[in-house]
Amino acid sequence: MTNAFELADEHRELLDHCDRIGRDVLYPLAQRMDNDEWWPEDIMPQLGELGLLGVTVDSKYGGAGLDFMSCGVIAQAFSRWNHAFGLAWVVHDNLFANNVFANGSEYLKEKYLPDVCAGKKIGALGLTEPGAGSDALGSMRTTAVKDGDDYVLNGTKIYITNGPIADVVLVYAKTNKNAGSKGITAFLLETTAPGFKVAQKLKKMGFRGSQTAELVFEDCRVPAKNIVGELDQGHKVVMSGLDLERAMINPICVGIAERALELSVEYAKTREQFGKPIASFQMVQSRLADMYTLIESMKLMTYKALSACQSVGHGEAGRGEIHKLTAAAIMYAANSLNTVLDNGVQIHGGSGYIWESEMNRLFRATKLLEIGAGTTEVRKLIIAGELLAK
């Protein structure tokens, strides 16, 4: 019988397997990715060969056909060793591939998913706009106008993870200007389409190896058959997908926190002050104990949210218990990660404040996780809204 507070054996084995890949393959790339905002082009095809892309996609389309928890533990393992790559992987595998698998037509799944699952094409999701942010749907200005068998897109998207390297983008545009936050449609767009361009690659404080861009659409044509889901019903794809996205950010938080604790324990044992290791100082021990306790509770919230998502279809998310739970889980995980890394830097002292140190790289990553996929404030509104709706 599986302990409700432990990973099942198959998930534990997958976590350990991907941890080894993360340590041996991804970790050696992390420093250069952060220093130069560099992207290793050969990694995605390698992971495709290993069956670690398209994790939740049916094998019929080249995926692994595994569950949502499997996707989560892979993200956790990768993020321990290279969180910038972990984020890029989550966007490719969950925000794009799983979204297309859950909502796309048979035509789209057969045409695009095999290459995405093989790592031959990289996916991204284009939702946020320069004037939008938390009100991504209501403030959307990107439009798509029907013209024959195509739609013509005009607009701009900002803060798009994988934007500079994407081959395919799931992009949202307004198709009915009079429908408010509704009247939005999701399209699968190839980045080779005329009228599409990467306006600029954005330089970030953290997650620097994860490529981020501003995307521009100028009379960009996309076939009508590339609509994902239903016309004017893109809000359903957005809202259900956001719950799954929040659940998938949790294991990134856990992975970063685990690595921070490991580094802090090692440092405390080897760094000497006043003739003895700082690990012998009770105030250092107190910080380590706090870090461990927060991480273990982060895991409980993370695995609970991932498990809940497994039994919820795309059309069922975006409301109710899963909406509340995923918002609570990411809020707790991200806020706890901030505290864990604050303790970690304090234990490292001056060495943790140096840009090139691994602890500094981890610390610079924390803030994004309190902003992305809905800010802490939005998460609180979701939780309170669901509580008060009863």
Side-chain angles (χ1 to χ4, degrees):
M1 183 176 178
T2 301
N3 188 325
F5 299 100
E6 297 285 346
L7 289 173
D9 289 344
E10 63 268 24
H11 295 131
R12 171 59 59 185
E13 291 171 4
L14 181 60
L15 177 66
D16 293 342
H17 173 61
C18 291
D19 181 73
R20 289 189 291 272
I21 294 171
R23 183 186 61 235
D24 297 341
V25 178
L26 301 179
Y27 184 61
L29 308 173
Q31 186 72 61
R32 181 183 172 189
M33 288 176 69
D34 188 69
N35 287 345
D36 303 333
E37 295 193 324
W38 166 73
W39 176 256
E41 295 182 357
D42 59 336
I43 294 299
M44 284 295 199
Q46 289 182 39
L47 294 179
E49 292 179 2
L50 293 171
L52 295 174
L53 295 179
V55 174
T56 56
V57 174
D58 194 284
S59 58
K60 173 182 178 182
Y61 308 106
L66 300 178
D67 60 11
F68 209 73
M69 184 69 78
S70 298
C71 204
V73 298
I74 295 172
Q76 178 184 340
F78 286 174
S79 297
R80 284 175 181 169
W81 300 103
N82 189 330
H83 56 271
F85 183 85
L87 176 61
W89 181 88
V90 164
V91 170
H92 171 86
D93 223 66
N94 178 252
L95 274 67
F96 182 84
N98 185 65
N99 232 330
V100 173
F101 174 61
N103 298 291
S105 65
E106 191 65 22
Y107 162 77
L108 291 177
K109 289 188 279 192
E110 289 180 353
K111 181 174 181 180
Y112 292 103
L113 286 180
D115 280 350
V116 169
C117 294
K120 296 178 181 178
K121 292 185 185 297
I122 293 178
L125 182 142
L127 174 62
T128 302
E129 297 187 0
S134 296
D135 186 20
L137 298 180
S139 300
M140 189 171 293
R141 296 290 178 266
T142 298
T143 60
V145 178
K146 187 79 170 357
D147 183 26
D149 293 332
D150 298 333
Y151 278 83
V152 180
L153 273 63
N154 281 283
T156 303
K157 300 293 181 179
I158 197 79
Y159 312 132
I160 306 306
T161 304
N162 291 355
I165 57 173
D167 302 289
V168 282
V169 181
L170 183 62
V171 60
Y172 294 90
K174 184 153 286 191
T175 43
N176 184 345
K177 295 182 179 180
N178 301 316
S181 61
K182 299 180 181 179
I184 290 168
T185 303
F187 297 90
L188 198 164
L189 174 75
E190 298 182 27
T191 57
T192 53
F196 170 88
K197 68 177 181 180
V198 176
Q200 61 173 322
K201 177 181 170 182
L202 302 172
K203 296 181 70 174
K204 306 191 299 295
M205 176 174 72
F207 283 95
R208 287 166 52 82
S210 166
Q211 308 294 293
T212 308
E214 178 184 11
L215 308 180
V216 172
F217 310 89
E218 296 177 343
D219 294 329
C220 182
R221 303 185 76 89
V222 57
K225 59 185 178 181
N226 277 33
I227 289 176
V228 178
E230 301 174 43
L231 181 66
D232 295 340
Q233 299 297 307
H235 63 284
K236 295 180 180 178
V237 181
V238 172
M239 296 310 296
S240 60
L242 272 173
D243 282 349
L244 305 184
E245 178 185 351
R246 291 186 181 108
M248 277 303 304
I249 290 176
N250 287 1
I252 297 178
C253 297
V254 172
I256 295 172
E258 287 179 316
R259 180 60 179 160
L261 178 59
E262 183 178 42
L263 289 171
S264 298
V265 169
E266 291 174 357
Y267 188 83
K269 287 181 176 179
T270 56
R271 172 67 167 169
E272 291 194 359
Q273 290 289 282
F274 307 104
K276 54 186 176 182
I278 64 171
S280 64
F281 303 151
Q282 286 186 339
M283 283 188 284
V284 171
Q285 293 176 9
S286 174
R287 289 186 182 273
L288 292 172
D290 286 344
M291 292 169 75
Y292 170 80
T293 303
L294 284 170
I295 292 168
E296 289 304 304
S297 57
M298 286 166 67
K299 289 179 185 177
L300 293 177
M301 288 287 283
T302 294
Y303 298 152
K304 180 178 181 179
L306 289 169
S307 179
C309 285
Q310 184 58 40
S311 58
V312 174
H314 253 262
E316 299 169 349
R319 59 185 183 276
E321 185 64 28
I322 192 68
H323 200 41
K324 178 175 62 177
L325 174 60
T326 54
I330 183 54
M331 183 178 75
Y332 181 79
N335 292 349
S336 296
L337 176 65
N338 195 314
T339 304
V340 168
L341 265 296
D342 186 67
N343 280 320
V345 171
Q346 194 71 18
I347 290 170
H348 279 74
S351 68
Y353 197 69
I354 301 303
W355 182 274
E356 289 81 6
S357 72
E358 185 175 358
M359 182 57 66
N360 184 275
R361 184 166 74 237
L362 298 177
F363 183 79
R364 285 186 276 111
T366 59
K367 203 61 192 175
L368 175 64
L369 300 163
E370 294 177 292
I371 297 171
T375 63
T376 297
E377 291 74 19
V378 168
R379 294 162 189 171
K380 288 183 177 181
L381 289 174
I382 290 171
I383 297 164
E386 293 298 333
L387 289 171
L388 296 171
K390 294 182 178 180

